[in-house]
Amino acid sequence: MLLKTAIKNILGAGRRTWLNVTVLSFVFVLMVAYNGILDGFMKDAITSAHEWDTGYGQLWSEHYDPYDVFTLQDAHEPVPAALNQFIIDQSVTPVLLSQATAYQNGNMQNILLRGIDPEQQILKIPSHQLAEDETGTIKAVIGKRMANTLKVRSGDNLLIRWRDRHGVFDAREIVIASVFDSNTATIDAGQIWISLDNLRQMTQMPGEATYFVLSKQCHIKQDIGTWAYKDMDFLLSDLYLMKQSSRIESVIIFTILLVVALLSVFDTQTLSIFRRQKEIGTYVALGMTPKRVTRLFTLEGTSYSILAILAGFIWGTPFLYWFLKTGLKLPESYSEMGLGMRDAIYPVYQPASILMSIILIVALSMLISYIPARKIAKSNIVEALKGKII
């Protein structure tokens, strides 16, 4: 009976009801779309990291620190015997790093040489382009960002200078065999990939590596000798921190929007109780207890959110579907940030996120409706019959 009465009352309120429903439905759809963008970005960034950079875990030399360039000269060790079979099975691939300088058209650019096995299948780096041919030319592959920086294309020659493990400088021309396009700037900007054997020979570091990339099938989950195991939580910690920061920002934004939206519900319920005092007295005269009348007005306020969610599904579903197909277009400069961004971010709608938004809106609507209605439960029955509860 309470539910039927509540529905009749809010439908009879006319414009006030549909104004509240419109505002709440807009906030609901906006919450779903924004959370979908965050989830879509994280999915793209993590997938791109798996495919291009981190694999599914890594083993680092004890001297390796990617955030300290001064340690790179010493960040290499011989490959441990325990990993030889994994390398043969191609479930682990070694990578060797060395600082260098590239010269092109009179310009100088500090770079990082990365040596990788041409036959590896773990990362999407087109390493097969690095296989040696009869000419003995050192081949290299670079990303689109690096190609734009150096102003080179596939087939161009590039002069590089490096220093070997003994501190002796040497220089040689390399050929750009391929230019790849990746969302992950950490393996592109300032990076040149060459054959692992070539880099070992150039730096006089035979049989050494800086870190190992593990495939999804590799079961190594612990340190091996001086090689430190890094799991995905560690390798993707920057992304997780950024997601957490974005979630905090979204909480602040939607708190403000919900306060504005629910304020209209609060005002509507307060005004309704003030104007309907005789109706409340009639309910009590017909046998309703003040607590049941309180529940009735609380249910009315909650019904606004339920109607808003239904309305949001009606008009929001085609909108969110269109948004899913078109995505959020990003300026070209965003791809330079190294966050795994594509030209557009496509949302991913998680059922748990949608359900959380629904629960939040309904719960807050229930609370904001109960606050003005609770005074009814404390009213005197005789005064309620006279229409004087406030």
Side-chain angles (χ1 to χ4, degrees):
M1 183 185 69
L2 288 179
L3 181 60
K4 291 182 178 180
T5 304
I7 293 175
K8 289 181 179 179
N9 288 339
I10 63 174
L11 292 179
R15 295 178 182 177
R16 292 199 307 272
T17 296
W18 298 114
L19 178 62
N20 292 330
V21 168
T22 300
V23 174
L24 284 173
S25 67
F26 173 76
V27 174
F28 169 64
V29 174
L30 190 60
M31 290 177 67
V32 174
Y34 188 85
N35 289 328
I37 282 292
L38 290 182
D39 292 334
F41 162 72
M42 284 300 298
K43 179 182 178 181
D44 280 349
I46 292 175
T47 301
S48 181
H50 281 313
E51 294 177 345
W52 291 93
D53 188 13
T54 63
Y56 290 84
Q58 293 182 355
L59 288 170
W60 288 7
S61 166
E62 61 177 340
H63 305 294
Y64 177 50
D65 183 355
Y67 300 107
D68 186 359
V69 296
F70 298 103
T71 64
L72 287 178
Q73 190 66 24
D74 301 318
H76 52 85
E77 297 179 52
V79 175
L83 292 179
N84 287 335
Q85 187 58 45
F86 292 99
I87 295 174
I88 294 174
D89 296 338
Q90 294 190 352
S91 59
V92 171
T93 188
V95 178
L96 179 63
L97 304 183
S98 179
Q99 290 176 288
T101 305
Y103 299 89
Q104 178 70 3
N105 298 326
N107 297 320
M108 181 178 70
Q109 173 75 31
N110 291 325
I111 62 170
L112 190 63
L113 286 175
R114 291 180 179 252
I116 191 170
D117 183 4
E119 298 181 358
Q120 67 85 27
Q121 301 292 329
I122 299 176
L123 301 179
K124 292 182 67 175
I125 305 293
S127 55
H128 62 278
Q129 300 278 356
L130 303 176
E132 293 187 8
D133 54 21
E134 298 80 5
T135 63
T137 305
I138 297 179
K139 297 181 180 180
V141 294
I142 59 176
K144 184 172 64 174
R145 299 174 184 85
M146 191 59 178
N148 293 333
T149 300
L150 295 175
K151 295 180 174 55
V152 295
R153 296 178 297 177
S154 179
D156 289 351
N157 291 336
L158 183 66
L159 178 64
I160 60 171
R161 187 189 68 167
W162 71 92
R163 187 170 63 176
D164 65 21
R165 70 184 307 161
H166 304 296
V168 178
F169 286 96
D170 199 353
R172 187 168 175 181
E173 275 197 342
I174 62 175
V175 176
I176 305 301
S178 177
V179 176
F180 61 84
D181 186 8
S182 170
N183 301 328
T184 307
T186 53
I187 52 91
D188 182 346
Q191 318 289 316
I192 293 182
W193 296 79
I194 64 175
S195 169
L196 178 62
D197 291 337
N198 284 335
L199 186 57
R200 283 172 171 173
Q201 182 180 6
M202 291 160 55
T203 56
Q204 299 187 23
M205 300 177 189
E208 297 194 10
T210 300
Y211 65 90
F212 295 91
V213 181
L214 312 181
S215 68
K216 190 174 184 179
Q217 293 75 28
C218 183
H219 302 295
I220 297 176
K221 303 296 180 183
Q222 60 186 4
D223 297 351
I224 296 181
T226 58
W227 294 86
Y229 172 71
K230 306 295 181 181
D231 59 14
M232 295 309 302
D233 289 337
F234 176 84
L235 296 173
L236 300 177
S237 58
D238 291 343
L239 285 175
Y240 294 142
L241 286 174
M242 188 176 64
K243 179 182 180 182
Q244 183 179 1
S245 176
S246 298
R247 290 295 187 191
I248 294 174
E249 293 175 0
S250 68
V251 168
I252 296 174
I253 293 172
F254 290 119
T255 297
I256 297 173
L257 290 176
L258 281 172
V259 167
V260 173
L262 294 174
L263 184 61
S264 65
V265 177
F266 178 82
D267 290 342
T268 300
Q269 291 301 96
T270 302
L271 180 63
S272 180
I273 293 171
F274 177 77
R275 295 179 59 182
R276 295 164 60 188
Q277 295 184 56
K278 292 185 178 180
E279 179 185 338
I280 293 171
T282 303
Y283 286 145
V284 175
L286 292 174
M288 273 194 184
T289 62
K291 289 186 177 180
R292 292 198 68 187
V293 178
T294 300
R295 287 198 292 269
L296 173 63
F297 277 82
T298 302
L299 187 57
E300 285 184 18
T302 306
S303 299
Y304 287 124
S305 62
I306 296 175
L307 281 177
I309 291 168
L310 293 176
F313 274 110
I314 292 173
W315 73 265
T317 299
F319 168 75
L320 294 175
Y321 179 77
W322 169 82
F323 193 35
L324 177 66
K325 295 300 181 181
T326 60
L328 177 64
K329 303 299 181 182
L330 297 175
E332 187 176 349
S333 59
Y334 274 54
S335 62
E336 306 293 331
M337 297 174 62
L339 300 176
M341 291 183 174
R342 295 188 287 178
D343 296 334
I345 298 179
Y346 294 89
V348 173
Y349 304 122
Q350 300 285 358
S353 179
I354 298 175
L355 181 60
M356 185 60 65
S357 299
I358 293 175
I359 292 174
L360 180 63
I361 292 177
V362 172
L364 290 178
S365 296
M366 183 181 298
L367 176 62
I368 210 71
S369 301
Y370 171 74
I371 292 175
R374 62 182 177 175
K375 196 169 185 178
I376 299 174
K378 300 178 182 179
S379 63
N380 184 279
I381 297 179
V382 176
E383 295 294 326
L385 289 171
K386 295 180 179 180
K388 299 178 180 178
I389 63 172
I390 297 178

